[in-house]
Amino acid sequence: MNRLAPLVCIFLLWISACREPFDPDLRQSDLSVLIIEGYLDTEGLPSILKLSYSRNVNTEEDHTPSYPGAIVHLKSESGVTYSLTDLGFGEFEFAHDIPEDEFYRLYISTNDGKSYTSDLLKPILTPDIIDVGIEKNDLGAEIYLTTRGDDNADDFLWTFEEMYAFRPKLLSYFKYDPEVNDIVNRSLDERTDLCYRGTVSSDLILETSSRFEDQFVFRQSITHIKQGDERLSVRYSILISQKALDSKASEFWETLRRNTDDIGTIFSPLPSNIGGNFKNDQDPSVPVVGFVSLGTVKQRRLFVDVREVSPWIPDVPDYYNCFVEPDTVRRLDYGASFGGGGFVPVNPIFPENGTAPIGYQGAVRRCTDCTLRGTTVKPDFWED
């Protein structure tokens, strides 16, 4: 998720908050600011550079984001060039193992004929993550990390990606087959009782290790999961990335974090003051917002099973008012009741001393089908 795009608009929103109507005389270039964001790993771990354009404050809320086409490459002072791969939608992948004792610049040439150059970039060696863990409390559960800074790495930025397994409110292992006008078992490929769902957090987590004794950052909070959150209802995974920053990058991200926390107010530093470490080659006065750093990215993955935080009762608004209808749907009515797909067989009803069901109780599909909110494809990294 691009963290910068919404914030570049705050300045224009601030202008529009004046009591007197005001139509500022802004250049078109000020209304479409290039936004650059990325931390490029120097040891070959694929990392993403994101490019986008800010939008005019008068643009409709449901507008389509604008992404520049571009050619992007990193060049060392010794003249070696490393190209980034265009993935589309403003994302460019960097996957090169480069010398960490050199200085570099990043060059961006957009398809509108403009070009942009970064300040000199010096890779920073990020220390290892010492430990990650989870601690349950009265309000839910806290994911934490422990690390230690050094002479070369004092400021840190942490980002994280989450993935979790979940189940629907009601489990159904059956489906209606119109060819035989009967209820049959779902195959493994048709199961809808266990799914996976993930997200990349946009949170900015920053800390300076020199604030602590021996630069030992103990149990830094990464994210808090509220009691009843679906993420911990079956099994949860979080991948935490630790990135060391120089002082200029740390100042940039801290300013951005304050604006993120106070977004919508007029009292925090305005994005026009955020700047970054890029300039427009044709006109250095044209604003460019964003920051790119080079360095090693250290990662740790944590898995959490629901048994580790039990009791944990999920509270999922999408599954409110889910129940099994008490009436039994008999075979003559299977097609009428289950044929449309919106109503699903759940519980077989057997006669006394019988082995074949005389009908099924059912429920609406949204309560039984996890594929409406996730995927049944297990992630490659997943550990059961």
Side-chain angles (χ1 to χ4, degrees), residues 182-195:
D182 203 354
I183 305 302
V184 299
N185 291 326
R186 293 180 181 272
S187 68
L188 288 177
D189 292 338
E190 296 172 323
R191 293 278 290 268
T192 61
D193 58 303
L194 179 64
C195 287

Side-chain angles (χ1 to χ4, degrees), residues 36-334:
I36 307 169
E37 178 186 353
Y39 192 106
L40 306 183
D41 180 79
T42 55
E43 293 185 335
L45 179 72
S47 45
I48 301 297
L49 174 79
K50 297 180 180 180
L51 303 180
S52 62
Y53 287 121
S54 64
R55 65 179 178 89
N56 189 333
V57 70
N58 295 320
T59 305
E60 295 293 332
E61 286 296 326
D62 59 351
H63 83 294
T64 301
S66 177
Y67 304 107
I71 297 174
V72 185
H73 67 272
L74 184 75
K75 188 174 183 179
S76 69
E77 283 199 310
S78 63
V80 181
T81 298
Y82 305 91
S83 297
L84 279 72
T85 302
D86 188 347
L87 302 180
F89 298 101
E91 294 193 346
F92 298 80
E93 183 181 72
F94 183 83
H96 299 281
D97 189 346
I98 64 175
E100 287 146 350
D101 57 353
E102 290 198 57
F103 286 88
Y104 299 84
R105 290 189 192 273
L106 192 69
Y107 297 90
I108 300 172
S109 299
T110 55
N111 55 5
D112 59 0
K114 298 177 182 177
S115 62
Y116 305 83
T117 302
S118 73
D119 296 342
L120 275 177
L121 305 175
K122 179 68 172 69
I124 298 179
L125 299 179
T126 301
D128 288 330
I129 297 171
I130 296 173
D131 182 43
V132 295
I134 185 169
E135 182 176 17
K136 190 177 181 184
N137 53 48
D138 292 340
L139 299 178
E142 195 85 26
I143 305 292
Y144 63 82
L145 169 150
T146 297
T147 192
R148 187 172 187 174
D150 56 36
D151 292 340
N152 298 314
D154 186 26
D155 295 303
F156 293 96
L157 167 67
W158 292 282
T159 57
F160 62 92
E161 303 173 11
E162 297 172 291
M163 181 68 68
Y164 64 95
F166 70 96
R167 295 188 183 276
K169 180 71 173 181
L170 305 172
L171 304 183
S172 171
Y173 304 102
F174 311 102
K175 71 172 185 175
Y176 171 68
D177 185 346
E179 292 187 2
V180 296
N181 188 34
D182 203 354
I183 305 302
V184 299
N185 291 326
R186 293 180 181 272
S187 68
L188 288 177
D189 292 338
E190 296 172 323
R191 293 278 290 268
T192 61
D193 58 303
L194 179 64
C195 287
Y196 303 88
R197 191 175 184 181
T199 184
V200 178
S201 174
S202 61
D203 292 349
L204 295 174
I205 309 163
L206 299 158
E207 187 54 270
T208 300
S209 65
S210 57
R211 296 198 314 112
F212 304 95
E213 185 176 357
D214 296 326
Q215 294 185 268
F216 190 69
V217 183
F218 181 69
R219 291 199 170 188
Q220 165 69 42
S221 177
I222 298 300
T223 188
H224 183 267
I225 301 176
K226 293 182 179 180
Q227 182 70 45
D229 192 299
E230 184 183 42
R231 286 175 288 177
L232 292 180
S233 63
V234 178
R235 189 164 174 79
Y236 168 84
S237 170
I238 182 171
L239 177 65
I240 305 172
S241 296
Q242 176 169 284
K243 308 165 186 180
L245 305 174
D246 61 28
S247 59
K248 187 176 179 181
S250 178
E251 181 181 356
F252 172 86
W253 289 110
E254 177 59 29
T255 302
L256 178 62
R257 186 194 62 78
R258 289 198 301 268
N259 276 282
T260 301
D261 291 344
D262 299 332
I263 190 168
T265 75
I266 65 173
F267 303 106
S268 50
L270 298 175
S272 59
N273 294 331
I274 289 181
N277 62 345
F278 277 83
K279 70 176 187 304
N280 180 298
D281 296 330
Q282 286 72 40
D283 183 356
S285 68
V286 171
V288 182
V289 174
F291 210 100
V292 171
S293 297
L294 284 179
T296 54
V297 178
K298 299 300 183 180
Q299 295 182 318
R300 285 283 293 272
R301 183 178 293 280
L302 174 71
F303 285 95
V304 181
D305 192 87
V306 65
R307 290 171 293 185
E308 299 176 54
V309 293
S310 181
W312 192 275
I313 301 174
D315 180 20
V316 185
D318 284 344
Y319 294 144
Y320 286 177
N321 299 316
C322 283
F323 58 91
V324 178
E325 292 284 352
D327 294 337
T328 299
V329 178
R330 296 184 178 267
R331 181 165 184 166
L332 289 176
D333 298 318
Y334 284 172

